[in-house]
Amino acid sequence: MKRRTMSAAWARMRDLVLPAGVWLVLCAIGATALSWADRTSRDDLVQRFDMRVSLGSQFVASYVQDVLARERTQAETFLAAKTVAAADFRRSVATFGYPAAVLIDGNGRLLHVEPPNPALIGTNMIAKYAHLRTAVLTGVPAVSAVVPSAAEKVPVTGFAMPYDTPYGRRVFSGAVEVARSPLSAYLAKALTIPGNRVYLADNAGRVVAANQSVTGRTNALATAEPALAEALATHESGRVFDTYTVGGKRWTFSSYPVSGTAWRLVATVPDASLYGPLAGATTAGRVGLGTAAVVGLVAVVIAAKGSRSRRELRLSEERFRTVFDRSLVGMALTDLTGRFRQVNEAFCAMLGRTPEAVTKLTIAEILHPDDVPATQAAMQETLAGARPGFRLEKRYLHADGRVVYGATTITLLRDLHNQPVRFTVQVVDITDRKRLEAEEAAARAQLARHADQLERMNGNLTDARDRMADFVAMLSHDVRQPITGILGYAETLTDDWEHLPDSRKQQYLLGIESAGQRLNRLVEEILTVAQLDAGVLTAKPVAVDLRAAVHEAVLTLPPDQALDVSVAVPEGLFVQVDPGHFQQIVTNLLGNAVKYGAPPFDLVARPLGRTVELVICDHGEGVPPEFVPQLFDRFSRAETGVATTKRGTGLGLHIVRTLAEAGHIGITYRPNRPTGACFLVDLPAAERVLPGVSPASARGRGT
C-alpha cells in the first residue's frame, strides 16, 4: 500500500517536472531569441538612420558642386567680356533663380549686384565676406557660412565661383536666402521617421536649411535645439554619432560634414520613434514569456510583429530609395572591391547602360584605362585610413564607346564599430564643360598661332622697310653721282664742242665712259641683289676647272692691275659650283682687294679632302677690327681707313656671301700677315670631271 502511494507521487512529480522543464527551456529560448532580435533590430535601425544622414550629406555636397560647376559655365560664357552688361548679369542670376547675387573683380570691388543697389557699386567686398575673399585670393570655389546679403541684409548662404578672363580674375557669387533654401525641400523628405529634425548648419552653428521652421533672428542651431548644439560641441569635427536627453526623453543624433563647404548635416530623432517599430514586438515577447501555456502563440505573434517591423523598415527604405533613384546626380553604392551593388537612373543614363549591366561591373571596368591606377590607389589609401574619401575628375566609358567626363566623389562608409562596409559614389556629368574647355584651348592655340604669324609678317615687313630705306638712301647718293657726272660732261661737250681742244674733249669723253661703267656696275649689283631677294637665282653646280675659272676672273681686271695678281692653283683641280655664281664671287673678291687693298694680290688654292680651299689676299691696311662683324652686311661700309676715300655701294661682299650660301660655299675673313686682308673660300670638291672640260691656260702675270 505504501509502495503504491510513493509510485503515484513520483508519477505526479514527473508529470510536473517535465512540463516545467519544457516550459523553462521554451522560456529561456524565447527570452534569448527576443533579446537577440531586439538588439539586432536596434542595430539595424541605427545603421540605416546613420547611413541616410551620410548619404544626405553627400547629396548636399554633390548639389553644391553641381551649382558651382554651372556657375562657372554660366560666368565664363556670359560674364567674361571686358564690360559686363547689366542685362547679361541679370539673365545669369535669373538662370539660377537666385534672390541675390554679386559680380566682383580681381581686387574685390563690386561690379554688379542683384537686387540692384547703385550705392554698393565699387565697394570692396572681400574685406567683409570670407568666402568672396577666399575665391578672389586663391581662385578656389568657396561656399559661405550664413551671412547677411550685400543688398538686403537678410541671412543668406553664398556660392562663390572664381573664373579667369583676359581682363583679370572675377568672382560670380549667388546667394540663397536661408528661410527659402531649396535644400529644405530635400531635407523634408530625407528622413521619414516621426518627430525627426534635420538641420544643415555652418561651423558657427547658423542654420542653412532645415526640415522645419527655425525660430530666432540669427537662425542659430543653439536657439532651435540647445541640447543638440551642446551635445555636438562636446565632439571634435568630422562624423559624430551620439545621444542626449531632453525633458526625460532620450534622443539619437548623427552628424556628417558636407565636403567642399563649411557646413555639416545634423539629424536627430527621438528614441521612441527610432525604435518604435520594435516596441510592439518587444512587448508581445515579454507577455508571451509570462505564460507558458501560450508560448507557441507568443512565438507566432513575435514572428508576425517582426515581419511587420521589417515591412515598415522596407517602406522607410523605399522612401529613401525614391530620393536616391530620382536624384539628378549619378549615385551608386559599391562593395569594398569596387563592384557596384546599387545604382540610380542618372548614373545609368550617363553611361548608357542598364542597372543590371552596371551591377555586373566594377569601377575599374567602366573607367578609361589611364584613370584606373589613380582611382585604385586613392581607394586603397581610403581603406587604409589615410583619408575619408576623395574627389577626382575621371573619364568613364559610355556603352557606345565614347568618353564621358565626370566629377566624381567617392566616400567610405563605416559601421558603428568603425569598420569599412561600402563606398558611396556621386558623379556629376561635366562632359559639356570639358568640351567647352577643349574648344576654348583650341581657340587660344589658334589665336597664338595667328599672333605668331602676324609677328613674323610684321618682322618681315620691318626688314623689307629697312632694306627699302637703305636702298633709297644708296640710290639717292651712289646713283646720282655718275648720272650727274655724265650729264655735266655731256652738257659741256654740247655747249662748247667747237671751242674745246681735242685733249679736253678726250678727257670729258673718258669721264663719261668711266661714269657709265660705274653706273653699269651699280645697276648690275642692284639687279643681282633684287634677284637674290626674290629667290629666282638658284645654284646649278657642275664640275668646274678651278685654275681656268680663276684666270677668267683675273682677266676681268684692267691689264695694269692684272699684272699684280699671283695665281697658285694646281692643274686638274675641279670643284662642284655654279660657274656664273663662282665667277661673280671671285670677281667681287678680286675687285674688293684691288679697290681697298694694295698689291701684290695672291690667289692660292689647295685640296683638303672633300673640299678645296681658295684664299684671296692683299697687302693693304686690312679691315678695321670693329667693322669685321658687319663685313658681309647689305650696304655696310667701314667709317675709318681707306674705305672712306673710295666710292662703293656696300653690296659687293653681301652678294658674295648670298651667292656662296646658295651654292653651299663657305666664305670667311681673316687678317693677312703682316698687313692686309684675306678671304677664305671653301669649295666642294668635284666627284668627277664633266666631259669636254679642259683646264684653261695661264695668262699674264697670274700664270
Side-chain angles (χ1 to χ4, degrees), residues 57-76:
S57 71
Q58 295 169 29
F59 177 84
V60 174
S62 298
Y63 167 80
V64 171
Q65 293 301 319
D66 180 63
V67 170
L68 291 173
R70 289 190 293 114
E71 276 194 354
R72 178 184 289 277
T73 300
Q74 187 75 13
E76 291 178 341

Side-chain angles (χ1 to χ4, degrees), residues 263-524:
W263 306 342
R264 65 169 40 251
L265 185 66
V266 183
T268 182
V269 64
D271 282 10
S273 297
L274 180 62
Y275 303 121
L278 302 177
T282 303
T283 302
R286 291 173 181 174
V287 171
L289 289 175
T291 306
V294 291
V295 169
L297 180 60
V298 170
V300 172
V301 172
I302 292 175
K305 292 290 185 180
S307 177
R308 186 163 55 252
S309 298
R310 288 190 293 273
R311 185 170 60 256
E312 291 179 357
L313 289 174
R314 284 196 300 272
L315 290 174
S316 178
E317 179 66 19
E318 287 175 1
R319 295 189 188 100
F320 170 74
R321 288 293 304 175
T322 300
V323 176
F324 177 85
D325 291 338
R326 295 183 181 178
S327 171
L328 298 179
V329 175
M331 302 180 69
L333 296 175
T334 74
D335 60 21
L336 298 182
T337 65
R339 183 168 297 278
F340 291 100
R341 297 303 181 189
Q342 294 177 333
V343 293
N344 70 351
E345 294 180 0
F347 189 76
C348 295
M350 186 181 71
L351 299 177
R353 305 173 189 266
T354 63
E356 294 75 14
V358 176
T359 52
K360 294 179 182 179
L361 303 173
T362 64
I363 291 179
E365 291 174 323
I366 65 172
L367 286 178
H368 190 283
D370 293 344
D371 292 344
V372 172
T375 304
Q376 291 180 336
M379 294 177 69
Q380 291 300 320
E381 292 179 5
T382 303
L383 285 172
R387 56 169 80 173
F390 57 93
R391 181 180 294 108
L392 293 172
E393 289 190 357
K394 299 190 294 186
R395 292 166 289 178
Y396 293 87
L397 300 178
H398 194 274
D400 60 11
R402 60 189 173 90
V403 173
V404 178
Y405 289 86
T408 305
T409 301
I410 296 182
T411 306
L412 178 64
L413 291 182
R414 299 179 180 269
D415 60 19
L416 295 178
H417 304 290
N418 204 35
Q419 295 300 313
V421 291
R422 62 180 62 86
F423 285 106
T424 65
V425 182
Q426 291 85 39
V427 182
V428 178
D429 190 342
I430 58 172
T431 304
D432 290 340
R433 192 188 83 192
K434 287 291 186 181
R435 176 179 55 78
L436 290 174
E437 291 175 353
E439 291 175 356
E440 182 181 359
R444 289 200 195 97
Q446 185 176 9
L447 184 61
R449 290 194 297 271
H450 289 170
D452 290 341
Q453 291 175 357
L454 288 175
E455 186 175 355
R456 288 194 298 271
M457 292 174 64
N458 287 336
N460 293 338
L461 289 174
T462 300
D463 292 342
R465 183 188 62 194
D466 292 342
R467 288 196 299 270
M468 180 58 69
D470 292 339
F471 180 74
V472 171
M474 183 272 296
L475 288 177
S476 66
H477 180 270
D478 294 307
V479 174
R480 184 179 297 166
Q481 285 185 344
I483 291 176
T484 300
I486 291 173
L487 292 176
Y489 287 134
E491 288 177 357
T492 301
L493 289 173
T494 301
D495 294 339
D496 301 326
W497 178 265
E498 296 179 354
H499 307 289
L500 290 175
D502 291 342
S503 60
R504 185 62 59 87
K505 293 178 182 179
Q506 182 70 21
Q507 177 185 354
Y508 288 171
L509 290 173
L510 290 176
I512 291 174
E513 180 185 12
S514 175
Q517 292 291 342
R518 187 163 69 253
L519 183 60
N520 182 63
R521 287 193 299 272
L522 180 60
V523 171
E524 288 293 334

Side-chain angles (χ1 to χ4, degrees), residues 33-53:
L34 180 62
S35 176
W36 176 84
D38 183 73
R39 184 172 60 255
T40 302
S41 297
R42 284 174 174 266
D43 289 346
D44 188 57
L45 287 171
V46 168
Q47 288 184 8
R48 290 174 183 271
F49 169 70
D50 185 63
M51 184 183 70
R52 293 174 191 173
V53 178

Side-chain angles (χ1 to χ4, degrees), residues 174-213:
V176 177
E177 187 175 348
V178 171
R180 301 175 183 175
S181 170
L183 293 174
S184 296
Y186 166 75
L187 299 182
K189 299 178 181 179
L191 291 174
T192 58
I193 302 174
N196 74 87
R197 299 173 184 174
V198 185
Y199 301 95
L200 186 63
D202 62 21
N203 290 338
R206 292 182 293 267
V207 176
V208 178
N211 67 343
Q212 58 183 345
S213 176

Side-chain angles (χ1 to χ4, degrees), residues 537-585:
L537 283 182
T538 57
K540 298 179 180 179
V542 296
V544 173
D545 186 334
L546 181 60
R547 181 180 177 87
V550 168
H551 280 294
E552 288 178 7
V554 172
L555 292 177
T556 62
L557 296 175
D560 58 330
Q561 294 177 347
L563 294 175
D564 295 323
V565 178
S566 172
V567 177
V569 178
E571 292 191 7
L573 191 60
F574 286 80
V575 292
Q576 194 78 11
V577 294
D578 183 295
H581 292 182
F582 179 67
Q583 190 66 227
Q584 190 167 1
I585 290 172

Side-chain angles (χ1 to χ4, degrees), residues 85-162:
D88 290 341
F89 176 73
R90 287 195 298 272
R91 183 169 58 250
S92 297
V93 175
T95 299
F96 293 91
Y98 289 145
V102 296
L103 179 67
I104 63 177
D105 62 17
N107 296 318
R109 293 188 299 270
L110 184 65
L111 301 177
H112 289 281
V113 63
E114 184 68 21
N117 189 343
L120 293 177
I121 301 302
T123 303
N124 189 318
M125 305 298 291
I126 64 176
K128 189 174 181 180
Y129 295 96
H131 69 294
L132 296 181
R133 181 167 58 254
T134 299
V136 169
L137 297 181
T138 67
V140 176
V143 180
S144 78
V146 178
V147 296
S149 71
E152 298 181 350
K153 306 303 181 183
V154 296
V156 297
T157 182
F159 298 82
M161 171 53 65

